[in-house]
Amino acid sequence: MTEVTLDGITKRFGTETAIEDISLTVREGEVLSIVGPSGCGKSTTLRTIAGFEEPTEGRIHFDDRDVTDVRAEERNVGLVFQNYALFKNMTVLENVTFGPRMQGVPKEERRAKAMELLELVGIDDLADRDPSSLSGGQQQRVGLVRALAIEPEILLLDEPMTGLDAKLKKRLRREIGKLLTDIGVTTLYVTHDQTQAMAMADRVAVLNDGHIEQIGTPETVYEQPANQFVANFIGTSNLLPATANGSTVDLGFTTIEAGGLSPTNGEVTVVTRPDDFTLNGGPIEASVLDTFYIGGTVQMVVELPDENQISLNVSPKEVDVSDLEPGDRINLSLDASNVHVVN
Amino acid sequence: MIERVISIPERVTVRGKRVDDLLPWLLSLPFALLFLLFLGLPLYRLFELSFQSETFLGHYVNIFAVGRYRNALFMSFAISILVTGVSIVLGLFMAYFIARREFVGKRLVVAIISFPISFPGVLVAWAMIVVLGRTGVLPQFLAFLSGESASTFAIVFSFWGLVAGYTYFTLPRVTMSMVSSIEKVDQSVEEAARSLGATRLQTFRYVTLPVIAPAIASAVTLAFSVCMAAFGTALLIASGVVDILPLMIFNVIMGQQDYAAGAAMAVVLTIITVSVIYGYRRKFGGSVYA
């Protein structure tokens, strides 16, 4: 297994800076996910590791080996594409054996290995089919197995599940997740979908505008976002302006204990999640703007006394949606134990 | 009991056939007649003429038996194959460059490359003479450098002059016909191959080439059949120097007034070009010119 290190990678296209000073380590056997909005530089980062973009500055290491100047075909990097990028002029088996064939692995050996891998993802019966006759989910399994067939130093997945339907996405996510854990290959998973990222990854790197906002476990980036961007991008957040003053944080309509959270005094932003509010006749008065019953949960948008709008989730068991009309007054309480303060 | 009478409207018929069915045929009739008149009849006459000899298939036999004729046929093949090869290789590089690179003035470059497509063969010959003729720019310049006579470098009235002229003629056609096909190649598929350890050459060989093969085959067919039949360029720069089949036909008909022998050669030429195009259609389907 390989540890992959990016050290101060910057890539400029002309005057445009795609990524700036990216430093991160994908640990041995770890699944690291890079998330961010489109155009944040995720793909450029991935292409730089794969060897298709030459960094303007910085070095890339696979363990102790500096691969910055190594050609793409000599890096031994497994790539899985959003559009599958299968070889249409070859069968499924030929797709999977292509890498080992280029590496000079004998025919029998590479075939046996490919069949083994296809069996692992449950499509060994499709070995002789044309890729174009396969469903999207099957094609992506072929793409994954093809990349794994070269026993790559690192597996790079570029939005591999975009374009698949929601149910299939969930199933594939579980399957791929298990496969990656079983094989234990170092993996970088690029996606704009934070749910995918959180579900698949050991750690998540949030990328924005070409630089890293935060790297941490899914729990860390969700519960302790480093800044407003991360708070907003990962999950749903209610960002509320407040004044920190020693041990308390004044939200205007209510005051909460800061605990050890507040890093400074003065103007801060309080990050609350939709689940932090309870509809239990607490001290915070709000008015209902909208309710959405989505089965299992009722999502509400309410307006606070300071005219800030927040989202909250309540259980349909707690509240009967049909009773609530826009404009109704409700009383909330805020559970401060999960609240996080950013500057 | 009420009897319902469903009346079927009477169709207008001609000898039992409905006029509706006949209409498309009637409308295509004038074109069919034109087609027969200007394609069928000449071809038929050519064919008929070519058999008018003292011995059975005499003119056909002569094409292979008479040295000059055989040589012309061979020369036509040689030039066509050579020019096709050169055009495809150069054209692939140019088409790749145009399809894959974004650069300032790309549209202008494409316009300049496409421009000679509209040149008549005579103009191509003229261009060759101006550049490579005895008083041409290049030989004059080389003569100035080396101190030798300019005619040493004037290759225009030779086999190689003809190759250059034909390449000038086919290269833009071949290039432009391959550009759109290369543009359609999914680059992520090529990147997939590279990441799997294929060199650029292997990627081209195993991944790109199979995808663009039909376009290359189409370009080969186009270049070969154009070269085989080209006449105007050859008349100006190779007449009397290099005998190729179209020039030979011209000489036999105009010089020797031997229409039958010329017809036999024309039939052979037609069979060659038509079989090349037919072979392409059998293998890849569709039109060479699409």
Side-chain angles (χ1 to χ4, degrees):
Chain A
M1 275 188 269
T2 311
E3 179 176 273
V4 173
T5 313
L6 305 193
D7 187 12
I9 297 291
T10 295
K11 176 67 187 175
R12 292 188 200 93
F13 296 100
T15 54
E16 202 92 351
T17 303
I19 48 176
E20 183 139 38
D21 198 21
I22 300 258
S23 293
L24 60 82
T25 301
V26 194
R27 298 170 190 152
E28 275 183 34
E30 172 186 54
V31 179
L32 179 79
S33 183
I34 295 186
V35 278
S38 49
C40 71
K42 329 182 268 292
S43 287
T44 307
T45 309
L46 181 130
R47 292 174 58 78
T48 309
I49 299 173
F52 295 123
E53 303 290 353
E54 199 182 324
T56 316
E57 283 163 37
R59 311 299 296 177
I60 302 166
H61 287 87
F62 289 0
D63 287 335
D64 293 332
R65 190 162 71 107
D66 187 334
V67 297
T68 320
D69 303 319
V70 174
R71 276 190 296 215
E73 62 263 35
E74 282 157 15
R75 285 198 190 184
N76 202 29
V77 162
L79 259 175
V80 179
F81 296 82
Q82 180 179 345
N83 66 351
Y84 323 130
L86 299 178
F87 308 129
K88 292 192 182 73
N89 53 314
M90 303 179 198
T91 63
V92 167
L93 185 67
E94 286 166 345
N95 266 274
V96 181
T97 52
F98 184 84
R101 185 172 143 215
M102 292 300 113
Q103 294 172 336
V105 177
K107 192 170 179 175
E108 286 312 313
E109 192 179 319
R110 65 185 190 235
R111 276 174 171 257
K113 179 81 193 297
M115 286 311 291
E116 211 174 282
L117 281 166
L118 285 169
E119 211 178 310
L120 213 56
V121 292
I123 51 168
D124 47 324
D125 53 326
L126 303 176
D128 295 323
R129 293 266 290 274
D130 272 345
S132 50
S133 69
L134 270 49
S135 73
Q138 290 167 337
Q139 289 193 42
Q140 198 51 292
R141 287 185 181 95
V142 177
L144 179 69
V145 162
R146 180 181 67 177
L148 288 173
I150 58 168
E151 294 174 6
E153 309 252 1
I154 181 171
L155 183 68
L156 304 174
L157 302 145
D158 189 4
E159 305 267 7
M161 295 188 214
T162 311
L164 300 176
D165 68 68
K167 273 217 173 101
L168 185 60
K169 242 185 226 176
K170 250 188 183 165
R171 210 177 97 200
L172 212 56
R173 188 168 80 198
R174 244 190 4 252
E175 281 184 25
I176 293 180
K178 187 175 175 308
L179 187 70
L180 295 181
T181 320
D182 288 353
I183 294 180
V185 60
T186 306
T187 305
L188 190 76
Y189 186 104
V190 163
T191 177
H192 67 277
D193 182 343
Q194 46 105 3
T195 321
Q196 295 281 355
M198 309 251 298
M200 304 270 303
D202 299 314
R203 288 189 305 148
V204 175
V206 183
L207 211 63
N208 178 36
D209 210 12
H211 62 268
I212 294 175
E213 299 278 3
Q214 188 175 6
I215 303 184
T217 61
E219 293 82 10
T220 312
V221 291
Y222 185 80
E223 287 163 15
Q224 292 157 33
N227 52 42
Q228 291 192 27
F229 179 84
V230 177
N232 251 331
F233 193 79
I234 303 290
T236 310
S237 292
N238 299 304
L239 299 178
L240 302 169
T243 317
N245 188 5
S247 60
T248 58
V249 178
D250 184 6
L251 283 155
F253 51 88
T254 188
T255 304
I256 53 171
E257 287 296 316
L261 292 173
S262 179
T264 48
N265 283 346
E267 297 289 305
V268 292
T269 301
V270 172
V271 182
T272 66
R273 299 294 185 179
D275 307 310
D276 294 339
F277 290 92
T278 331
L279 217 165
N280 58 357
I284 305 166
E285 284 200 349
S287 68
V288 176
L289 292 177
D290 253 321
T291 56
F292 306 97
Y293 176 77
I294 55 162
T297 318
V298 178
Q299 290 182 344
M300 297 176 69
V301 181
V302 303
E303 191 177 81
L304 295 173
D306 61 358
E307 293 186 345
N308 271 309
Q309 294 179 4
I310 59 166
S311 307
L312 50 131
N313 294 342
V314 290
S315 158
K317 289 172 191 153
E318 286 175 60
V319 57
D320 189 354
V321 196
S322 52
D323 282 354
L324 285 172
E325 300 268 318
D328 282 358
R329 316 289 302 175
I330 50 168
N331 281 24
L332 308 169
S333 62
L334 172 61
D335 176 6
S337 59
N338 289 321
V339 163
H340 183 69
V341 179
V342 294
N343 285 327
Chain B
M1 207 178 187
I2 302 165
E3 195 176 318
R4 273 215 194 155
V5 178
I6 301 164
S7 76
I8 301 165
E10 283 289 307
R11 303 269 185 186
V12 185
T13 60
V14 174
R15 284 190 200 163
K17 291 218 173 197
R18 281 168 45 195
V19 169
D20 288 7
D21 293 339
L22 289 172
L23 205 60
W25 293 101
L26 286 172
L27 285 175
S28 5
L29 201 61
F31 299 103
L33 284 175
L34 278 176
F35 207 66
L36 269 178
L37 194 64
F38 286 95
L39 187 73
L41 187 63
L43 271 181
Y44 170 73
R45 281 289 296 149
L46 195 69
F47 207 60
E48 191 194 26
L49 208 55
S50 69
F51 288 107
Q52 289 178 3
S53 57
E54 281 141 30
T55 54
F56 179 64
L57 293 178
H59 294 307
Y60 287 98
V61 172
N62 279 348
I63 294 175
F64 301 95
V66 177
R68 276 190 319 132
Y69 298 165
R70 192 177 56 226
N71 199 33
L73 180 64
F74 171 77
M75 207 46 113
S76 269
F77 263 110
I79 286 182
S80 300
I81 290 169
L82 190 61
V83 170
T84 303
V86 171
S87 302
I88 293 294
V89 172
L90 289 180
L92 256 179
F93 278 107
M94 284 164 67
Y96 244 90
F97 192 77
I98 292 168
R100 289 292 167 82
R101 295 287 172 86
E102 286 306 322
F103 51 91
V104 183
K106 182 172 170 175
R107 284 162 63 120
L108 186 70
V109 169
V110 170
I112 291 171
I113 291 173
S114 321
F115 188 54
I117 291 178
S118 56
F119 281 8
V122 176
L123 195 53
V124 171
W126 174 245
M128 285 295 122
I129 292 167
V130 167
V131 180
L132 297 172
R134 249 165 244 122
T135 57
V137 182
L138 225 51
Q140 290 287 342
F141 180 67
L142 290 173
F144 171 75
L145 285 185
S146 65
E148 285 183 48
S149 153
S151 51
T152 323
F153 306 104
I155 59 153
V156 68
F157 300 106
S158 71
F159 178 81
W160 295 108
L162 207 55
V163 168
Y166 277 20
T167 307
Y168 189 102
F169 202 71
T170 54
L171 188 55
R173 286 170 170 74
V174 160
T175 304
M176 295 319 293
S177 78
M178 290 190 295
V179 166
S180 66
S181 156
I182 294 173
E183 275 172 346
K184 278 182 211 140
V185 175
D186 182 356
Q187 290 191 53
S188 62
V189 176
E190 294 181 333
E191 287 180 351
R194 295 282 306 283
S195 74
L196 293 167
T199 61
R200 279 174 195 278
L201 202 64
Q202 285 172 322
T203 302
F204 180 77
R205 163 77 185 79
Y206 295 116
V207 174
T208 316
L209 193 59
V211 180
I212 63 172
I216 294 178
S218 161
V220 165
T221 312
L222 187 69
F224 184 84
S225 54
V226 163
C227 287
M228 214 54 205
F231 174 69
T233 316
L235 185 66
L236 277 184
I237 61 183
S239 201
V241 186
V242 186
D243 276 333
I244 53 169
L245 199 56
L247 281 185
M248 189 56 74
I249 296 171
F250 178 75
N251 289 338
V252 166
I253 292 175
M254 302 308 280
Q256 302 161 18
Q257 308 279 315
D258 190 348
Y259 290 96
M265 289 178 200
V267 168
V268 168
L269 187 59
T270 308
I271 288 173
I272 292 169
T273 53
V274 167
S275 5
V276 168
I277 292 170
Y278 181 74
Y280 166 81
R281 294 196 53 158
R282 274 292 294 272
K283 183 87 174 69
F284 297 100
S287 166
V288 176
Y289 302 99

